[in-house]
Amino acid sequence: MTYANVIIAAIDNSLAARPVVLTAIALAPIFGASVEAVHVAEDGCITARGCAVALSVPFRRLEGDVHSRLTEVMAEDSVAALVVGVRSLPTRRRSGHLAIALASTLDKPVVVVPPQAEPVAIIHSVLLAIEGTPSKARALKRVVTIATGADLRLTVVHVDDAASIPSFSDQVQHETEVYTREFLTR
Amino acid sequence: VLVADGEQERVDLWTEQLLARLPGLTIAIASHGPGGSGVHLADGVVRLDGAQGAIDAVLADQLGRRRERALPIAAPAPLWCLVSEGVDGHHERVKEALFAIADGRTGTSAAPVPTWTAAHPWVIVGGVYDGEGPETTLLTAPIACRLNATIDATNNIRRTLDLRSGLLFERADSDRGPVSSVRFSRLARPGTVVMRVRCPDGARGDESALEAPADHAVFDEGASAKASWMRVGATAGGVTAAAWELVQPAGDQMTVDRIAVYCGDTAGVPEVAEPIARARDAGAIGFDRLLLEQREAWARRWDEADIMVAGDDDLQVALRFSLFQLMASVADEGEAAVGARGLSGPGYRGHVFWDADTFVLPFLAATHPAAARAMLEYRLRRLRAARDIARHLGRQGARFPWESARTGLDVTPPFARDRAGRVVPIRTGLLEDHIVADVAWAAWNYFEWTGDEAFLAGPGAPLLVETARYWASRVRVDGDGQAHIFGVIGPDEYHEPVDDNAYTNVMARWNLRRAADLLDSGAVVTDEGAGEEADAWRSLADALIDGFDADTGVYEQFAGFSDLEPLVIAEVAPRRPIAADLLLGAERVHAAQVIKQADVLMLHHLVPEEVVAGTLEPNLRYYEPRTAHGSSLSPAVHASLLARARDYDSALKWLRVAARLDLDDLTETTAGGLHVATMGGVWQAMVYGFAGARPAHARLEIDPRLPPSWGGLDVRVRFHGSRVRIRVDHDDLEVVAERPIPITVESRPYVVGPEGVVFHRQRASWEVVR
């Protein structure tokens, strides 16, 4: 049986590469995993390789369509999660399109790192934004499982809008208790 | 009961007058071939073709089924049941609350008989609490309705709750095969849960018939011949459960009859002897006779309380669901601690609020007074604690707590996290004083429905007198001689603290006047000086300001309300009901004319004689659009008042919200239990609002308001010991009483007895025709 014990840091030749790898390194102990940097070459790999070497993580270079190749990598049994950045350099395409595409198609955790991020060395707490639908609750369950194993503090945030705001709020000293218990059960 | 075919009138008579009471099967024999001769078959009547031979076959089948110890067939009439199909882990706890069974003492969740990871089985025994202070919570008891089989997401569960008889049918697919069961909580002998299961051989293994509760530790457990037992201890008292069982093979299946008896005590953990003996006794009676007894007991309760609406089947089922839960939630012996969720779940920790006194009790006072009396007994046994609270606050008399549990001292949590995760102070325990008058009103309401003068002059007197003493010490008189109550929270909890809340002041005024009347009547034995005390209370009551503006006919909800930001929530909110404090923020709501629930309008609902005549409409026009209905107590009260004001569209809109509050999980908290106060409000809307039936001045006043979309309304109540049936349609009003009682119809007095009185609509008034 193959254990998912590798976190893929998908990096390009941009300023986002370093925070992506640093984030992957910080996430590694949570998943009990090691980190591998993957670069799908579009225009060389000097910056990407240099970043991986500097941070002492293995580097893999691939060629072809970025989305397709990363999807193939993520399908490997040993891969637990993906960390991907958002370009800081101006491009023709809207910033973040790749991250969005991957996050919406992969069935493994995807962490998106902004280009100016300054990742912490050790992650102690995670903020989780959810919508509150049954499918999101299932995703939350996976995160809770991971967070529990890694002794992480998990804060779940749900923002009500005019459509989802509750109809009733009776006695707050009991409503929150009932709501929370049911939320956690679900 | 056998009804011969071809006797249309007789069938109607029997079905109408007997069916609700009869626990058995009514059979119409169609002797004129298939399809019969057009006999009207009422709800619950089975047609048979073929005369005597057919009935012989039915009886033979029944005997065969009894010998085989077969399950009863789960086929309740559509207007008498809830049905749920499918496996839905997300909403499982909601279903377990909706389909829960109870008997007034013990509540059992509808968790499936086979085990399932999404299930959260619980058993609670009313009035048995664990913990101290705000942490006081209902003790959960051993679980008796589980077998050794497992459900997964690919399986199916079909649950049917028969409201007429309090039976929960279940068919659950499991890893071992289908597990079919019927269970009930024994209304005739509360504290007994009866279950028959037909399951694959081996589904009943060697495990104990009782399973430890998830939330509380088992004190000790054991087994004797044919009975196992388990004890769960609380901070004070505990619950002991004993289970008797009979397992018999049935081909490749097995039949399991299990009877669990729960004994709760607030002084110590009960010994095992009593529940074991009771379980064995019930076992000796046997499942079939217990089932018959259950059907008879529920039929009697329905005969006292059913409400029928012609022309709205969805509402009819929702109504019966509300009535069923109200009847199942309250014991009719000893004391009854009715928590905010009754016996349908552990939510709100089982704490007792004004919900019980103001919303639940009237239904019982008017249908099953013994249960209302048990609710009042709960307050009476905590009178000493209420006196202690008053003394601690530097007041006199009795100050009942906003949240009550075992001791009668206040158990309101002082702080809580709101849904935004912020820690907020909770001041209802300190400031929501109106609970004092609410308890007094409950005692008076019980008296008005029952005419129980011995109670009012005897054990019940302190509920009026001691509460009046509290108000007398709470009220402050200014230099102009006007009396005020400062620093309170009214039913509208969006605004706190406020001065001279109209609801609090008028209820206090009402309380002072009723208590003064009681002292002056001489019925209550008092110390010397009672006359002076009564005079002082009357003077104080007369001096209490109530915020009434004679020019507009509107009561100001509290001093300064009209100066707040004039937000009309009906205009600014995307919909109602809505939790306006979450929509706009607590600070904005606090500074605006946005209210949570009926406040001034509660006066028109509870004490119409204490408000100026003719002020319902102006106050409805002013306050309803400003009401977010963010409290689950609000819709039903508005439905009642809007019916009185003949605004039928609005009345029905809010009635449906209230009636379906839990069925549609509109609060998103039904998983923690059902909103029994809302259900009590639904009954009040039907009886006080639409039927216009209300006890006052030792008469039953009747003044119906029938929406055009309804074909008719049929209400049963008990007034001064006499069962009363009120039937109204758009042309006729009929009132029948078991024994002669005084009634008032459109301010005209009548006496009604078993022969009944029929009124016919003549233009805008009711005229006697028979």
Side-chain angles (χ1 to χ4, degrees):
Chain A
M1 183 175 178
T2 303
Y3 292 97
N5 57 5
V6 176
I7 293 178
I8 300 297
I11 56 175
D12 59 5
N13 294 312
S14 77
L15 294 175
R18 183 177 173 80
V20 166
V21 177
L22 286 173
T23 300
I25 291 171
L27 284 170
I30 295 171
F31 286 85
S34 59
V35 176
E36 180 182 0
V38 171
H39 172 69
V40 182
E42 288 181 305
D43 48 5
C45 64
I46 296 174
T47 301
R49 182 189 297 277
C51 175
V53 170
L55 295 173
S56 303
V57 299
F59 179 77
R60 184 173 6 165
R61 182 179 185 275
L62 303 171
E63 292 188 351
D65 176 70
V66 181
H67 182 271
S68 301
R69 299 313 307 271
L70 285 177
T71 300
E72 290 167 10
V73 171
M74 291 304 295
E76 295 171 10
D77 290 343
S78 62
V79 174
L82 172 70
V83 182
V84 63
V86 179
R87 283 176 192 266
S88 60
L89 297 176
T91 65
R92 285 174 298 164
R93 288 187 283 190
R94 185 165 50 86
S95 182
H97 74 280
L98 177 63
I100 292 170
L102 289 166
S104 57
T105 53
L106 297 177
D107 64 354
K108 293 178 181 176
V110 176
V111 179
V112 180
V113 182
Q116 291 84 18
E118 296 179 5
V120 295
I122 301 173
I123 296 173
H124 294 289
S125 61
V126 173
L127 188 70
L128 184 70
I130 67 158
E131 186 183 78
T133 58
S135 60
K136 297 299 185 294
R138 280 193 288 275
L140 173 63
K141 188 175 181 180
R142 296 174 63 184
V143 177
V144 169
T145 303
I146 293 168
T148 303
D151 198 23
L152 280 179
R153 176 189 171 93
L154 191 65
T155 302
V156 178
V157 176
H158 168 72
V159 180
D160 280 317
D161 57 20
S164 68
I165 204 159
S167 296
F168 297 96
S169 176
D170 282 322
Q171 300 285 310
V172 65
Q173 64 271 31
H174 296 286
E175 293 284 300
T176 311
E177 185 175 85
V178 174
Y179 182 86
T180 303
R181 175 184 278 233
E182 180 62 9
F183 175 88
L184 293 174
T185 304
R186 288 183 185 185
Chain B
V1 175
L2 306 181
V3 182
D5 190 8
E7 297 182 44
Q8 173 81 52
E9 290 184 5
R10 193 171 165 213
V11 170
D12 284 347
L13 179 68
W14 282 32
T15 53
E16 285 221 10
Q17 296 190 358
L18 298 180
L19 258 184
R21 288 199 290 271
L22 289 173
L25 179 71
T26 303
I27 301 171
I29 301 175
S31 58
H32 303 299
S37 58
V39 172
H40 168 70
L41 292 183
D43 200 20
V45 180
V46 175
R47 175 190 295 280
L48 284 181
D49 296 326
Q52 188 61 42
I55 191 63
D56 288 347
V58 167
L59 292 175
D61 178 62
Q62 288 290 311
L63 289 172
R65 294 176 60 78
R66 181 163 297 193
R67 276 194 297 269
E68 294 170 11
R69 302 174 64 231
L71 292 175
I73 297 170
L79 296 182
W80 284 96
C81 69
L82 286 189
V83 179
S84 167
E85 185 104 33
V87 170
D88 177 3
H90 207 65
H91 294 99
E92 173 59 21
R93 274 78 52 199
V94 174
K95 292 183 180 179
E96 290 173 6
L98 289 171
F99 288 77
I101 52 174
D103 55 26
R105 281 277 175 233
T106 306
T108 303
S109 83
V113 172
T115 58
W116 184 27
T117 53
H120 184 68
W122 47 258
V123 175
I124 50 180
V125 178
V128 182
Y129 294 94
D130 186 38
E132 299 280 1
E135 298 305 317
T136 305
T137 187
L138 277 174
L139 184 72
T140 51
I143 296 151
C145 294
R146 298 255 273 192
L147 280 188
N148 181 24
T150 304
I151 293 172
D152 64 39
T154 63
N155 295 134
N156 185 42
I157 308 170
R158 179 180 173 86
R159 278 175 271 223
T160 304
L161 180 61
D162 181 352
L163 302 171
R164 197 202 293 259
S165 302
L167 306 177
L168 173 60
F169 296 92
E170 178 186 293
R171 181 190 160 92
D173 297 336
S174 75
D175 60 339
R176 293 175 178 271
V179 176
S180 298
S181 62
V182 61
R183 51 189 138 149
F184 55 90
S185 211
R186 197 178 169 196
L187 190 67
R189 187 78 191 271
T192 308
V193 176
V194 180
M195 178 173 77
R196 170 170 285 181
V197 185
R198 179 64 67 91
C199 57
D201 193 20
R204 176 67 182 104
D206 298 330
E207 68 279 2
S208 170
L210 295 169
E211 185 178 314
D215 300 326
H216 290 96
V218 172
F219 184 70
D220 62 357
E221 60 184 311
S224 61
K226 286 193 176 180
S228 51
W229 52 269
M230 190 176 279
R231 303 168 81 200
V232 181
T235 308
V239 171
T240 300
W244 171 93
E245 198 172 54
L246 178 63
V247 181
Q248 288 189 332
D252 59 351
Q253 295 190 312
M254 60 199 307
T255 301
V256 179
D257 284 355
R258 184 179 292 172
I259 297 168
V261 170
Y262 293 88
C263 289
D265 196 323
T266 57
V269 185
E271 296 299 327
V272 300
E274 183 187 344
I276 287 178
R278 284 177 51 192
R280 284 179 178 168
D281 288 349
I285 294 171
F287 177 86
D288 291 311
R289 290 183 63 83
L290 291 172
L291 176 63
L292 177 64
E293 172 203 80
Q294 172 79 351
R295 286 180 157 143
E296 288 174 338
W298 270 103
R300 282 193 295 273
R301 290 297 294 269
W302 279 112
D303 195 36
E304 296 172 329
D306 194 19
I307 295 177
M308 290 185 276
V309 176
D312 193 334
D313 288 354
D314 183 70
L315 177 64
Q316 179 67 73
V317 175
L319 267 176
R320 285 196 170 127
F321 178 68
S322 292
L323 303 181
F324 173 80
Q325 294 297 340
L326 288 167
M327 289 187 276
S329 295
V330 187
D332 57 10
E333 287 183 351
E335 65 169 42
V338 182
R341 298 295 174 261
L343 296 172
S344 63
Y348 276 57
R349 307 180 189 179
H351 292 185
V352 181
F353 293 72
W354 74 314
D355 303 39
D357 309 281
T358 307
F359 290 85
V360 174
L361 183 136
F363 163 75
L364 295 161
T367 60
H368 195 66
R373 178 66 182 81
M375 292 179 71
L376 293 170
E377 187 64 24
Y378 169 81
R379 292 298 192 187
L380 284 167
R381 291 184 186 180
R382 282 147 190 84
L383 190 62
R384 177 178 293 179
R387 288 188 179 119
D388 289 345
I389 296 172
R391 191 163 55 248
H392 178 72
L393 294 170
R395 316 267 186 228
Q396 296 175 356
R399 201 288 193 188
F400 286 96
W402 177 244
E403 295 188 27
S404 180
R406 180 174 57 85
T407 65
L409 296 175
D410 188 45
V411 291
T412 308
F415 296 94
R417 276 190 191 278
D418 66 11
R419 280 171 57 139
R422 295 170 299 206
V423 175
V424 293
I426 304 299
R427 298 197 281 185
T428 49
L430 297 172
L431 303 178
E432 205 145 351
D433 279 38
H434 67 76
I435 179 70
V436 176
D438 301 331
V439 172
W441 182 88
W444 185 258
N445 185 262
Y446 167 81
F447 164 71
E448 286 204 304
W449 278 109
T450 61
D452 188 349
E453 293 179 355
F455 170 79
L456 193 67
L463 295 181
L464 282 156
V465 174
E466 290 292 273
T467 48
R469 286 199 177 107
Y470 174 77
W471 290 120
S473 66
R474 178 73 168 86
V475 169
R476 291 289 170 265
V477 181
D478 65 20
D480 297 330
Q482 290 189 316
H484 306 268
I485 301 176
F486 298 122
V488 300
I489 301 176
D492 164 32
E493 291 154 337
Y494 288 165
H495 298 92
E496 59 166 48
V498 299
D499 297 334
D500 287 327
N501 167 247
Y503 178 79
T504 306
N505 283 22
V506 174
M507 289 300 288
R509 185 173 75 193
W510 172 91
N511 197 160
L512 288 163
R513 287 174 174 166
R514 290 293 80 74
D517 292 346
L518 189 61
L519 292 190
D520 282 351
S521 71
V524 180
V525 177
T526 59
D527 300 334
E528 280 187 42
E532 293 175 11
E533 192 173 33
D535 290 343
W537 290 350
R538 279 209 185 80
S539 298
L540 208 51
D542 292 344
L544 262 171
I545 66 167
D546 59 12
F548 181 64
D549 181 344
D551 292 336
T552 61
V554 172
Y555 288 81
E556 187 178 35
Q557 185 176 299
F558 54 80
F561 181 84
S562 55
D563 299 328
L564 299 178
E565 182 186 4
L567 273 184
V568 177
I569 193 70
E571 295 175 355
V572 302
R575 58 182 159 78
R576 290 186 304 160
I578 196 162
D581 53 336
L582 299 178
L583 177 72
L584 302 173
E587 294 78 11
R588 180 80 183 274
V589 165
H590 180 77
Q593 293 171 359
V594 176
I595 65 177
K596 182 177 183 179
Q597 66 190 92
D599 194 301
V600 166
L601 290 170
M602 278 301 290
L603 298 170
H604 293 82
H605 181 63
L606 296 183
V607 287
E609 71 279 10
E610 277 289 333
V611 293
V612 176
T615 60
L616 171 61
E617 282 80 1
N619 283 280
L620 260 178
R621 279 196 300 273
Y622 182 80
Y623 282 111
E624 199 286 324
R626 289 167 171 78
T627 305
H629 300 288
S631 163
S632 59
L633 301 177
S634 191
V637 171
H638 280 84
S640 182
L641 294 172
L642 288 159
R644 300 312 304 154
R646 293 187 171 84
D647 182 351
Y648 295 122
D649 288 344
S650 300
L652 290 176
K653 170 190 164 186
W654 291 117
L655 178 66
R656 291 191 179 103
V657 170
R660 296 207 60 85
L661 190 93
D662 285 310
L663 293 171
D664 295 336
D665 193 13
L666 297 179
T667 66
E668 301 178 43
T669 60
T670 293
L674 308 178
H675 296 68
V676 291
T678 303
M679 295 168 171
V682 168
W683 178 87
Q684 291 183 34
M686 297 304 297
V687 174
Y688 291 167
F690 292 98
R694 176 185 287 273
H697 312 298
R699 309 186 75 86
L700 183 60
E701 295 180 349
I702 302 171
D703 185 13
R705 300 281 189 273
L706 196 66
S709 61
W710 290 358
L713 175 63
D714 187 329
V715 169
R716 297 161 200 224
V717 295
R718 183 184 289 271
F719 179 74
H720 287 208
S722 174
R723 291 191 299 176
V724 183
R725 187 169 183 182
I726 303 165
R727 286 193 282 192
V728 61
D729 58 29
H730 295 288
D731 298 318
D732 297 301
L733 165 65
E734 181 181 12
V735 185
V736 180
E738 190 178 32
R739 292 193 297 275
I741 59 163
I743 70 167
T744 302
V745 175
E746 293 177 336
S747 303
R748 283 173 290 177
Y750 304 90
V751 174
V752 173
E755 69 285 357
V757 175
V758 177
F759 302 84
H760 186 70
R761 172 67 76 187
Q762 299 283 356
R763 293 194 178 89
S765 64
W766 294 107
E767 300 297 334
V768 176
V769 294
R770 177 164 61 83

